[in-house]
Each structure stands twice: as C-alpha cells, then as structure tokens.
Amino acid sequence: MGDNRVPLVDRSGFQRSVSHPQDEFQTFRTYLRWMCMDQSNIWTTCLSWFLFIVLGLVVPSLSHFLLACSTCDAKHARPYDWVIQLSLSSVSATSFVCLTRFIKKYGLKRFMFFDKLYNESETVRKGYTAQLNRSLKIVSIFVLPCFLAETAYKVWWYASGASQIPFLGIVWLSDSVACFMELWSWLYRTTVFFLVCVLFHLVCNLQVLRLQDFAQFFQVDSDVGLVLIEHLRIRRHLRIISHRFRTFILWCLILITGSQFTSLLITLKATSGLNIYKAGELVMCSLTLLTGLCILLRSATKITHKAQAVTCLASKWHICATLDSFNVNDGETPRTPAIHAHQVFPRVGTDGESESEDVGDEEDDLDNNKLIPAYAYSTISYQKRQALVTYFENNRAGVTVYGFMLDRGTLHTIFGIELSLVLWLLGKTVVFS
C-alpha cells in the first residue's frame, strides 16, 4: 500500500531550484571560479578582492606611471594611456562591486531567476536554459577579437624595445612579465564588465520569453483574472530587474560618456598628431566600452518594447471579440470559434497584403499585425475586456532607472543630449581657417 501512495504536492517542479553539482550552472560556476569571482567562503572572497585590486588597480597604475615612456618616439609614445587605464578600471570596478553584491546577496540561482522557473512553461524553461548555455559564448565573441588586437599591439610594443626597465635584472624577462601582466589586467577588466552586461541581457531575455508565452493567453479562451495575475507577476519581475541593475546602468552611462568625451577632447588638440600607433589602443578601449553599453541599452529597450506591446495585443483582442459579438447578434448562425474567426477575419495584413510576404524577423505572437480569432465574446463580457485594456494602458511595464523608463523615446533623448554635447565640444575646439 505504501508503494501506491500519491503525494499531496507534486514536487517535481521544485527540482530546478535545488543546487547540485550537475545543474544548469555548473559551467557558469566553473567560469566564475576561474575568474576568481567565487566568494562562497572567506578564502575565495579574499582571493577575489586581492585579484581585483592587483589586476584592476595596481597593474594599470604601475603600467601608466612606470611604462608611459614619455621619451619614446612617435610610434611608441602612449599619450592617451591615462584615459584608457582610468576608463577600463572605473568601469570594471563598478562591474565587480555590482556582481559581488548580486551573488552575495541573492545567490546565483535566485539572481538569475532559476528558482522561479518551475512556474513557467516548458517552452520558457528550455529557451532560457539554451540562452544560459550560449551566454558565455557571447562574452567570448565580444572579448576575444579585441584581446587579440591588444595582444598584437603589446607584443609589438615590447618587442620593438620601447620599454627598458630591467626590474628583474634581465631586459627580455622584465618585458615578458610586464607584457603578460598588462594583457592579463586588460582581459580581466574587460571580461568582468562584459560578464555583467551579458547577465543583464540574459535576465531580460527571460522576460521576453515569458511575455511571448503570455501572449498565448489571448489566443485561447482565457479568464481575465488569470491574465491579470500573470501580467502582475511579470511586472513584479521587471521591477526587480530594474531595482537590481539601475545603479550599474546609470554609472556605466556616466562613466562611458565621460570617457568618450575626454577621448574626443584630447584627440582634437592641434598638437595631438594622431596615428594608429598612438590612438589604436584608445579606439579599442572605446569600442569595448560602447559595445557593452549598447548591450545594456538594447536589452532594456527590447524588453520594454515587448512589455508595452501587450497593450496593443489586448486592444486587438478586445476589438476582434467585440466585432465578432456584433456579427453574432446581427442574426448570423453561430459557428465554432476557429471556423467563424477564419471566415470573418481573413489572414491578411493591415494593408490587404498576404501574410506570406516578407515582414522580417521582428514579428512574434506578442508583436504582429495578425488578427486574433475571437474566443472571448461568448465567455468574457465587454466590461471585463474593456477594464483589462484600460489596465494595460495605465500600467505600462518595462525596465526603469530611478523612475525613468528605458524605452526607445529615452534612447532618442540620450542620443540628442550626447549629440548636443559633441557639437558643443566641436564648436569649442575645431577652428576653420
């Protein structure tokens, strides 16, 4: 009889929130451990902070003050080294502090929302797990090309005899150690920065998957109460993401903007004498920082756009159900929902063109121009549908930074401010004779 007992609660869904060595985060934990970002005990915490201080602060400072080479020729001079070191160190310090706080306060599974996945559909779970496995490849795609270019430049700089500081007694050994430490420092700072950016991208993609799954509520005969509860849960998770990442996003925007304007100011001097040897490393630094910032802003605006597209979807669902109810009330013979929707609403776009036309890859169940089969007119009253649409119109969800919604309008505002500052700076520095 004991073998036939049925548990009162199905605990199979909770298996994903239990930590074990072979779970989804095995590769991710190994990656953090090799980066010395594992702070699970006092020894690994001390090692993590020691490595950050050495590679993030000490090595860049020594590189600038000891290897600036102010007496070198035009090819080996590094007049913009202080901007590069200060920019990378400040952004990596912000990333390190935020990542340390995230992992220490929430834990990896809770921070990545894996403890909540048992409530999601199989489509969302599989999609999020696949994106998690692909996230480290994204970091490598962005970091490795710039690292290879940085390695080529550093090897050339040391091999050509620019540095003559035999602090180990042997010149070639001293140069090899200095070159290795500089490259290690650059790789460490850049990887920490991109890691936090990709983590933000990952949790935003989870909400995109959830919103796409949420759109299925409007394709079936759903209860308004269930739709409201699910949307409130998504809004809560978006507020959590905004609260966790708002400081990081704001500081990255400030630091990277300041870095780019400082770079623009010092390179526009009449005596700058720009060439690939002087400014090549500065270009790579700027490219790295701007790429990370673009990942942050694109991820935030994408999830905000998808969250706000729910209002359009609900309005379309409401009007289709209303029109269908009027057609039935006018004396037409009721038919099954699928057949009736097919005949009343032919599968065409808003301009009469066939849906088989190429409309790009941006359309999905959440954001498209397809008419919705009317399942709701017979089971959901007009007042409930109208109340739900009104709720969506007055409760727009998305990622915010201290109350400011990160949508496309905000991006246009940021671009306008940045462009105005650039034009003002050019007006103060560039003189046409």
Side-chain angles (χ1 to χ4, degrees), residues 84-105:
I84 299 170
Q85 303 297 350
L86 187 61
S87 300
L88 288 178
S89 294
S90 59
V91 172
S92 65
T94 303
S95 305
F96 178 83
V97 172
C98 291
L99 185 59
T100 299
R101 177 177 174 271
F102 294 155
I103 297 178
K104 184 176 181 180
K105 184 175 181 179

Side-chain angles (χ1 to χ4, degrees), residues 23-53:
D23 63 3
E24 299 89 347
F25 286 99
Q26 181 184 12
T27 304
F28 210 85
R29 288 195 183 97
T30 304
Y31 184 80
L32 293 178
R33 192 175 299 113
W34 276 101
M35 287 186 59
C36 294
M37 293 296 297
D38 181 19
Q39 299 186 9
S40 57
N41 56 63
I42 185 63
W43 302 109
T44 56
T45 301
C46 293
L47 177 62
S48 177
W49 278 95
F50 173 76
L51 194 66
F52 165 71
I53 293 174

Side-chain angles (χ1 to χ4, degrees), residues 3 10 53 63 68 101 123 136 194 205 254 309 338 362 396 425:
D3 296 335
D10 183 10
I53 293 174
S63 172
R101 177 177 174 271
T123 303
L136 298 182
F194 271 109
N205 276 344
I254 294 173
E362 295 298 324
R396 296 183 178 274
L425 185 61

